[in-house]
Amino acid sequence: LTPSFIKTQNGFAQNNSGGAINTTMNTSGGSQFTRGAVIGITQTTGNNAVAYTLPAVEAGLEYTFIATVTSTGTGTTTFSAPSAILKGMAICKDGNEDISGTNFIFAAGKFEIGTRVHVVCDGTIYHITAICPCDVADVSTT
């Protein structure tokens, strides 16, 4: 038995070796994108971009994305909301970048090992905090 004060989380890894990852997340029964999921991203194959679209807003949704390796090739890494409701901060090695919009994007080869993107939903917006070993110039919001 797990004590009630210990939160269990779903964790898994996705690899772009079979092609680009272009995933619209959902929380329906059987989905791997359950509340609190930790997603390891292995982006090592050429031009295969990685893109995640968060599910419709729902209070209490929480996801953590981590780079398992430093990305390679010309593919970008993008985290998107259903609309312009991403609000937060990217903390990069040379400064900070406000995040406000629909898409938070890492330039090609800049989703580096040690990167962590944490997203929490209050039912209205997605609050996003990114810890980025890359430079501010390597991330953007649209």
Side-chain angles (χ1 to χ4, degrees):
L1 286 176
T2 302
S4 61
F5 61 87
I6 295 177
K7 181 179 174 184
T8 59
Q9 294 182 324
N10 181 27
F12 59 95
Q14 291 195 303
N15 189 316
N16 74 336
S17 63
I21 296 172
N22 189 2
T23 301
T24 299
M25 300 165 62
N26 66 63
T27 58
S28 60
S31 171
Q32 59 190 348
F33 299 108
T34 57
R35 294 174 189 266
V38 177
I39 301 105
I41 300 170
T42 304
Q43 184 177 5
T44 58
T45 304
N47 302 327
N48 293 342
V50 172
Y52 287 94
T53 300
L54 298 162
V57 293
E58 182 182 333
L61 290 179
E62 181 176 1
Y63 299 102
T64 302
F65 300 89
I66 57 173
T68 60
V69 298
T70 294
S71 62
T72 59
T74 60
T76 59
T77 307
T78 304
F79 301 94
S80 300
S83 60
I85 55 173
L86 285 179
K87 307 293 180 189
M89 177 74 61
I91 303 163
C92 301
K93 71 178 179 183
D94 66 343
N96 298 330
E97 171 90 0
D98 288 337
I99 299 171
S100 183
T102 303
N103 305 296
F104 176 58
I105 305 159
F106 287 84
K110 298 302 179 180
F111 192 67
E112 301 174 5
I113 193 166
T115 299
R116 181 180 66 221
V117 177
H118 187 79
V119 183
V120 179
C121 185
D122 67 0
T124 304
I125 67 168
Y126 274 108
H127 179 271
I128 182 169
T129 305
I131 307 297
C132 314
C134 63
D135 293 332
V136 169
D138 299 324
V139 296
S140 61
T141 305
T142 60

